[in-house]
Amino acid sequence: MTSNLLQSIGLGGLDIAYVLIGMLVLIIILLVLIIIQFSKLNKLQKKYAKFMKGKDAKSLEQEIEGLYDDNDYIKQEAEKNRKDIKDIQKRMEYCYQKLGIVKYDAFSQMGGQLSFCLALLNEKDDGFILNSVQSSEGCYTYTKEVKKGECAITLGEEEKKALDQAIGY
């Protein structure tokens, strides 16, 4: 069976069954695409309804502006915190952070290790050594300055141990 329409467009020798099968496949593909699109549209409508729940356009705009204001405030506070942390770290360099202590008997007749050496150093190994010597006549305390882990005055054995402890802290 031939169609006048097919002959007028130059496809007169084509069997009409092939045309119908091709159109049927095309219709099925289009139906599947329509179903997929309806599914996507349904998901989008649910998300939109959840987003707009209890809000009108004006209140939603105010809420978004509020979020931007909150974000700006958080950025300012974070920057302030960064500056404060840098300031604290800079100050910490000069605080005494390292210590070493050695207890000893200064004199053989004294017992109980009542004498001690205390070394206190900052981050740059600057500080002092405090040496407290306990004797039967009284207690005597001496200090020695430490610069970059070194002392200009000769150190005793206990003072050297305390300094080594502090540096290795």
Side-chain angles (χ1 to χ4, degrees):
M1 173 159 117
T2 61
S3 166
N4 291 335
L5 179 64
L6 289 176
Q7 282 183 344
S8 66
I9 59 171
L11 299 174
L14 186 65
D15 190 6
I16 193 87
Y18 293 126
V19 173
L20 290 176
I21 291 173
M23 289 176 64
L24 183 63
V25 169
L26 185 63
I27 289 172
I28 291 172
I29 291 172
L30 290 175
L31 280 174
V32 168
L33 289 176
I34 289 173
I35 291 170
I36 291 171
Q37 290 303 318
F38 273 127
S39 172
K40 288 182 180 180
L41 179 63
N42 191 21
K43 287 179 186 178
L44 185 61
Q45 284 176 335
K46 286 180 183 177
K47 287 181 183 180
Y48 179 75
K50 185 177 179 181
F51 180 72
M52 295 300 287
K53 185 178 180 182
K55 297 179 173 86
D56 58 1
K58 189 166 188 134
S59 67
L60 184 62
E61 181 180 347
Q62 290 171 348
E63 192 159 325
I64 291 172
E65 286 176 1
L67 290 173
Y68 278 114
D69 293 342
D70 290 347
N71 191 26
D72 290 340
Y73 174 75
I74 290 170
K75 285 180 182 178
Q76 290 171 357
E77 286 298 310
E79 185 60 34
K80 181 180 173 283
N81 289 344
R82 270 191 217 99
K83 289 177 183 176
D84 289 346
I85 289 170
K86 284 181 182 178
D87 183 48
I88 289 170
Q89 287 174 337
K90 188 169 229 122
R91 289 181 187 194
M92 286 292 294
E93 290 177 3
Y94 301 102
C95 294
Y96 295 120
Q97 306 171 27
K98 303 174 185 179
L99 70 98
I101 188 164
V102 175
K103 292 180 72 173
Y104 64 97
D105 287 324
F107 302 103
S108 58
Q109 70 269 20
M110 296 288 292
Q113 293 186 335
L114 299 175
S115 300
F116 67 90
C117 288
L118 174 68
L120 291 172
L121 304 175
N122 63 16
E123 191 174 290
K124 297 178 180 183
D125 290 336
D126 295 337
F128 63 91
I129 298 172
L130 181 69
N131 191 353
S132 178
V133 179
Q134 181 74 29
S135 71
S136 57
E137 290 89 36
C139 180
Y140 302 97
T141 305
Y142 307 96
T143 60
K144 295 180 180 177
E145 186 177 21
V146 177
K147 291 281 186 183
K148 297 181 182 172
E150 299 290 327
C151 184
I153 302 171
T154 305
L155 298 177
E157 181 183 332
E158 294 83 9
E159 292 170 328
K160 181 69 176 150
K161 284 181 184 177
L163 182 60
D164 289 343
Q165 280 181 3
I167 290 174
Y169 193 79

